[in-house]
Amino acid sequence: MMKYVSTRGQAPAVTASQAILNGISPDGGLYVPEKWPEISLDWSVLKTQTYSDLATLIFDAFFDDFSVSEIDYIIKKAYGKQWETDNVVSFHEENDLTYIELFHGPTLAFKDVALQALPHLMTTAAKKQAMSDKIVILTATSGDTGTAAMSGFGDVSQTEIIVFYPEEGVSEIQRQQMQTETADNAHVIAITGNFDDAQKAVKTLLADESLAKDLKAEGLRFSSANSINIGRLVPQIVYYIYAYAQLIKDEKIKAGDEINIVVPTGNFGNVLAAYYASQIGLPVKQFIVASNENNVLTDFFTTGKYDSNRHFKVTNAPAMDILVSSNLERLLYFASGQNSDEIQAYMTALQEDGAYVIKPDTRANLNKFVAAFATQDQVSETIKKIANATNYTIDPHTAVGRYAYEQTAVTGPTLIAATASPYKFSETVLQALNMAPVSGQAALAQLSKMTGTEIPIQIATLFNKPIRHKQVIDSKQILATLKHEIF
Ligand SMILES: *Cc1c(COP(=O)(O)O)cnc(C)c1O
């Protein structure tokens, strides 16, 4: 049986289902596999398989305390008709570069891939652990996590989903998606201020012991839909394996050839999944970590110093506006040779001083990682350049990756994660293409006309839907509001 241990080494090892239910380890660390599962990746077979086949292979290996029929049930629920595409993802070629479009799910961003699976992983795990409490998912979102989490958890029995988003700093599409959510178990509340304010308020709730007691008395317990949950990470390994198999099938590469992987990065979940894929046998030459102007990671990979003491910037790629990338801790754990004392020291320094410097030996193990960042102007220029040169329209997050790809000048076959639909950020994309400013439904129509593509069915009628969630609160009211919503 696989064991999941804490990166900080101060909590007991647990099974996959316990790790999924706990979210974060009790010592504040993140759950990581004690050993990599043994999977034989026979590419001549894998290249003929469907996305769901590969998802089954990976889920079976990492979540090995789930039965075969439980995994089948979860995969069927997660990767069914809610996807525009038969095989979840699709591809677009630009010479040596292959975009893997991860945004054909219900909310048009890559987070759907994991968040369509997580609720079923959690409720199945709860059954296995004979846990009868109702799971309350509490999340602060800069946009994409909230909508994707509600789409996944919406109307899933034994769960409630509560989303706090900043009144300022989400795109118009994202706001409309949240305010029109129809699931009975979804609660959506705007907080005055920016994402940092919303995030801080939610963290206070999660750390409130007397609140946890009140919840327990009501048969409720908090959990996390954030990418610190191992149940969000593992589903993301699948598409890197699937993409590699498809590159072989399309004769772009031969089995065993190394590829580069470019990932627009925020909390470091998506690029970490690519690293996990490499640890179970995906041949990777370089990982390209792409950031926006909140370029903590670019500096980290260039200097070995992680320094979050800087001004938080709200950018045109808002899902990557973040100064503390939680999942980096998981990479450092492996780079340090699974040295939890070393990780504990870094995380203490981060807590106390907002910064830490990693040891040379640990840094040497990160030699496959390169990093670069794009300013907001460079994002706009990249969107325009790619549209003009290749007639392909990318969203601002993917544009950050595309710019970093050029900057780092990696060579050979390269995969780039296209993390959101351009429609989700229509206003920014139109602006980059020098169009007169329009918003809402008009922006969708304009982008459709410009690009000769259909408005994705998921949002085609978004602006006709009734607004159901109008509440705006001050962060001081968050505890009272939460209690009112769930008790
Ligand atoms: C969340 C998000 C990212 C960042 O992904 P991480 O896993 O947090 O690094 C990038 N692009 C989009 C569109 C996102 O929604």
Side-chain angles (χ1 to χ4, degrees), residues 109-111 144 264-270 319-320 395 397 419-420:
F110 87 96
K111 292 184 174 74
D144 286 342
T265 300
N267 211 20
F268 211 77
N270 203 1
M320 296 159 60
D395 97 290
H397 304 81
T419 52

